[in-house]
Amino acid sequence: GNSVTQMEGPVTLSEEAFLTINCTYTATGYPSLFWYVQYPGEGLQLLLKATKADDKGSNKGFEATYRKETTSFHLEKGSVQVSDSAVYFCALSGNQLTFGKGTKLSVIP
Amino acid sequence: DTAVSQTPKYLVTQMGNDKSIKCEQNLGHDTMYWYKQDSKKFLKIMFSYNNKELIINETVPNRFSPKSPDKAHLNLHINSLELGDSAVYFCASSQDKGRGYRGAFFGQGTRLTVV
């Protein structure tokens, strides 16, 4: 069945540091891939998505590229801010959305 | 103008009680979901409905029963609540038949605490 593996957290970075959160997946067919963000006390928000191989999703300075050859969809941001502190979930589509376990990011001033 | 709204946001109740969580979406989507998020933030799908029909029913106790009166609403009823039911429950919707490939929109969550 489908599965998503994310890097374990928590991740703590200083403001303006570079962020990478690794995500790899196992799936049959050609799923779409997503990153969701959950700010404290809130629901999940769709951050970005990619629907086919080599697509790059981007939003709010975050980027992720759909790599079929490595079955990966790593999330990156060049310069994080304190307001980026949240839990980030990688997900893929199939008959349902399958989520990774989430990675908690804390950005300190 | 909230896209996916759930009520209540917080629910504290005693073991053995029966409770319901309501969800409504005003996006015109054809598919709605219930997810459970445990204390470690792990998200697990419970149910998925497409146009009022159940299409995904993961392994959850039959004490949990979803009800979809129309395609804009998907309520979750829980009988005989147990301590292990304590979690955050998220409703979501998407415009696709059970596939999330366009992305799902989530409600704010209902934090259920069973004491």
Side-chain angles (χ1 to χ4, degrees):
Chain A
N2 294 345
S3 67
V4 175
T5 303
Q6 281 181 242
M7 62 186 286
E8 299 264 339
V11 174
T12 302
L13 295 173
S14 297
E15 210 165 18
E16 299 183 4
F18 184 84
L19 168 71
T20 300
I21 301 178
N22 290 338
C23 171
T24 57
Y25 67 91
T26 303
T28 54
Y30 303 95
S32 294
L33 301 173
F34 305 86
W35 277 99
Y36 281 83
V37 58
Q38 185 178 25
Y39 298 103
E42 298 186 12
L44 277 77
Q45 300 175 26
L46 178 62
L47 180 61
L48 54 84
K49 66 183 179 189
T51 57
K52 61 183 188 296
D54 300 324
D55 264 4
K56 178 186 282 188
S58 61
N59 186 25
K60 300 182 181 179
F62 291 90
E63 293 183 340
T65 301
Y66 190 143
R67 301 282 187 204
K68 197 169 191 310
E69 64 277 13
T70 54
T71 61
S72 65
F73 193 55
H74 305 319
L75 182 68
E76 296 182 338
K77 186 174 185 181
S79 175
V80 293
Q81 306 300 311
V82 172
S83 57
D84 293 327
S85 298
V87 180
Y88 291 82
F89 294 90
C90 185
L92 66 81
S93 67
N95 288 328
Q96 64 202 49
L97 270 178
T98 300
F99 285 90
K101 293 189 176 182
T103 303
K104 183 176 181 179
L105 170 66
S106 297
V107 180
I108 55 177
Chain B
D1 61 346
T2 304
V4 181
S5 59
Q6 302 177 222
T7 54
K9 188 170 182 181
Y10 300 97
L11 183 54
V12 181
T13 188
Q14 291 187 327
M15 281 175 56
N17 284 350
D18 302 339
K19 290 293 179 186
S20 292
I21 307 172
K22 295 186 176 181
C23 178
E24 175 182 8
Q25 55 96 2
N26 62 6
L27 297 166
H29 287 168
D30 58 13
T31 306
M32 295 185 72
Y33 313 82
W34 277 107
Y35 282 84
K36 179 179 180 180
Q37 185 175 47
D38 63 22
S39 58
K40 295 185 179 179
K41 300 292 188 182
F42 184 61
L43 277 160
K44 183 174 170 57
I45 191 165
M46 301 174 70
F47 301 102
S48 172
Y49 267 73
N50 176 257
N51 282 324
K52 297 170 38 180
E53 288 188 30
L54 180 65
I55 56 173
I56 293 174
N57 182 359
E58 294 294 312
T59 305
V60 298
N62 57 15
R63 298 182 293 104
F64 290 80
S65 54
K67 295 277 192 304
S68 182
D70 55 62
K71 75 173 194 176
H73 296 84
L74 181 62
N75 303 325
L76 183 64
H77 190 75
I78 316 170
N79 289 329
S80 304
L81 278 154
E82 299 178 357
L83 292 176
D85 297 332
S86 296
V88 181
Y89 292 85
F90 285 102
C91 177
S93 72
S94 66
Q95 182 55 42
D96 28 69
K97 295 182 180 180
R99 292 176 175 271
Y101 66 85
R102 298 184 191 179
F105 289 79
F106 282 76
Q108 293 294 299
T110 296
R111 182 174 293 278
L112 171 65
T113 304
V114 183
V115 298

